[in-house]
Amino acid sequence: MDPDLLLIFCFIIVVTAVIGVSVNGIVKKALDYKRSVNAPALPEKSAKVAEIEERTQAIEDRLRVLERIATDPEARRGAELAQEIEQLRIEQKEDAQ
């Protein structure tokens, strides 16, 4: 192999590596900048997510209480409520079809 050709080949590899590292650095800085610009919006979203989770937990707690009331065999009204709930479920299935 010709020594000049080998030198040109090595030069091309080095130049390609330097360009790749430079482009990588530029892209990384651009992405970091975009993240820093968008960072103040994240706590607001986190507050919304926390509020939704809190409301969801409250709804689940209420649902558990209602299920306990409806399925309580000791309560006289519990059996009636359970039958009413089942009837509503049947009606809802019929309406969906």
Side-chain angles (χ1 to χ4, degrees), residues 15-86:
V15 168
T16 304
V18 169
I19 291 173
V21 169
S22 299
V23 169
N24 185 31
I26 292 169
V27 169
K28 183 177 179 187
K29 285 187 180 190
L31 290 175
D32 288 343
Y33 174 73
K34 284 186 179 182
R35 286 186 189 124
S36 68
V37 168
N38 293 333
L42 292 178
E44 181 179 316
K45 289 182 182 179
S46 297
K48 279 187 173 183
V49 169
E51 180 183 344
I52 290 171
E53 287 176 351
E54 183 179 319
R55 291 179 68 196
T56 303
Q57 186 62 41
I59 291 170
E60 288 176 355
D61 291 341
R62 290 178 183 175
L63 182 61
R64 281 190 205 100
V65 170
L66 290 173
E67 287 175 345
R68 190 176 65 232
I69 291 170
T71 58
D72 186 14
E74 298 295 323
R76 188 183 62 151
R77 180 75 176 127
E80 293 172 9
L81 283 173
Q83 289 175 352
E84 290 177 20
I85 290 171
E86 286 302 317

Side-chain angles (χ1 to χ4, degrees), residues 4-16:
D4 291 335
L5 187 61
L6 186 60
L7 184 62
I8 292 171
F9 183 68
C10 289
F11 180 73
I12 290 172
I13 290 175
V14 169
V15 168
T16 304

